Amino acid sequence: MQNAIIFDMDGTLFQTHLILEGALEQTFEKLRAESLWVDSTPIEKYKEIMGVPLAVVWETLCPQHSFVIRERSNEWFQQFLVQQIEAGRGGLYEGVTETLQQLSEDLPIFIASNGQPAYLQAIVTHYGLDRWIKKVYSIEQIASRDKSLLVHKVIEENKLVRGYVIGDRLSDFQAAKDNNLQSIGVRFDFAQQQELETADFVVDQFSAVLPIIKEEIKIQK
């Protein structure tokens, strides 16, 4: 196997914003119930840092809390996210299923995400993404929580030589660069213009990924 496509999940395939607010509100309601939080839920702050490893999320949202409380908060958050997914409150971006189906006819598809395994599996199962995706990789598999190293793991395990990393944040584009792959940025909910400028290609609709890759395949042939 030499060529492949590596997708990010949150803000790339999955519309995380549809479940984010509800799950975060539930988490901080639990914290308030245990007298561990008194202010409103810091939803806007989380949106600003969306895409960073979860340890950084809780360090940012709850800087005054101990490591144990942050870990417990994250466990609650993950449980609520999965519940939201299973209740059908999330959604894939428009064109994802059709585009994945067409891309999978030419190249194997993998996921490399900062999300935790149970959360990622809930999305894959609920939307039947395993029809097209070969394997899902979580940042939890990398001790340093470095996205570039996670993508490197995908490359090594699957003996890849060329390919694409498709995502919405700088860590995705940097992971592509660090591993000599091309990057495609999606200008969706959490994307930032300054970060998108570092990608090799940028699209405004998910289906626009298809002609870019099809053209590159044609050139390589």
Side-chain angles (χ1 to χ4, degrees):
M1 188 181 295
Q2 291 193 350
N3 301 314
I5 308 169
I6 303 170
F7 280 100
D8 175 46
M9 180 66 85
D10 292 316
T12 300
L13 299 179
F14 185 66
Q15 297 186 67
T16 315
H17 68 282
L18 296 177
I19 65 170
L20 177 65
E21 187 168 339
L24 204 62
E25 188 61 56
Q26 287 176 291
T27 302
F28 277 85
E29 190 57 42
K30 287 272 288 184
L31 287 169
R32 283 188 284 266
E34 297 200 9
S35 300
L36 295 170
W37 191 262
V38 295
D39 298 323
S40 59
T41 302
I43 292 171
E44 291 307 315
K45 182 178 288 188
Y46 186 39
K47 289 180 180 179
E48 291 173 6
I49 60 172
M50 184 67 192
V52 302
L54 286 164
V56 178
V57 166
W58 293 104
E59 287 171 6
T60 304
L61 298 185
C62 302
Q64 74 278 24
H65 287 166
S66 67
F67 175 79
V68 173
I69 297 301
R70 290 176 191 160
E71 285 288 293
R72 189 188 308 171
S73 300
N74 184 56
E75 288 173 6
W76 290 335
F77 184 49
Q78 295 303 312
Q79 292 170 5
F80 292 136
L81 285 172
V82 170
Q83 289 174 13
Q84 295 266 339
I85 293 164
E86 293 175 343
R89 298 193 180 99
L92 301 176
Y93 283 99
E94 183 179 356
V96 164
T97 55
E98 300 87 348
T99 303
L100 289 182
Q101 190 276 322
Q102 292 184 66
L103 289 173
S104 67
E105 294 173 0
D106 294 311
L107 297 172
I109 298 173
F110 300 94
I111 299 294
S113 169
N114 282 339
Q116 293 191 335
Y119 165 74
L120 296 172
Q121 188 57 51
I123 297 172
V124 169
T125 300
H126 189 80
Y127 297 100
L129 297 182
D130 49 358
R131 288 172 286 176
W132 310 294
I133 293 170
K134 296 290 185 182
K135 189 172 180 179
V136 176
Y137 290 80
S138 165
I139 200 69
E140 295 295 304
Q141 298 171 256
I142 303 296
S144 66
R145 302 298 191 264
D146 187 315
K147 190 71 170 280
S148 293
L149 293 180
L150 182 62
V151 169
H152 183 70
K153 181 179 179 68
V154 179
I155 291 170
E156 278 203 328
E157 286 192 359
N158 299 283
K159 297 179 172 60
L160 307 181
V161 176
R162 294 188 297 271
Y164 308 84
V165 175
I166 302 175
D168 65 325
R169 300 305 302 268
L170 181 61
S171 60
D172 301 306
F173 315 141
Q174 189 62 49
K177 182 177 180 181
D178 290 343
N179 289 284
N180 297 312
L181 303 178
Q182 290 190 289
S183 58
I184 302 177
V186 293
R187 199 191 308 274
F188 296 161
D189 298 283
F190 301 111
Q192 298 181 14
Q193 180 58 33
Q194 186 175 1
E195 296 181 355
L196 287 170
E197 289 173 0
T198 68
D200 295 310
F201 304 92
V202 177
V203 300
D204 296 307
Q205 296 180 321
F206 194 84
S207 58
V209 167
L210 187 61
I212 293 173
I213 294 178
K214 290 283 189 181
E215 182 60 29
E216 289 293 316
I217 292 173
K218 189 186 303 181
I219 292 171
Q220 290 172 15
K221 288 181 178 179

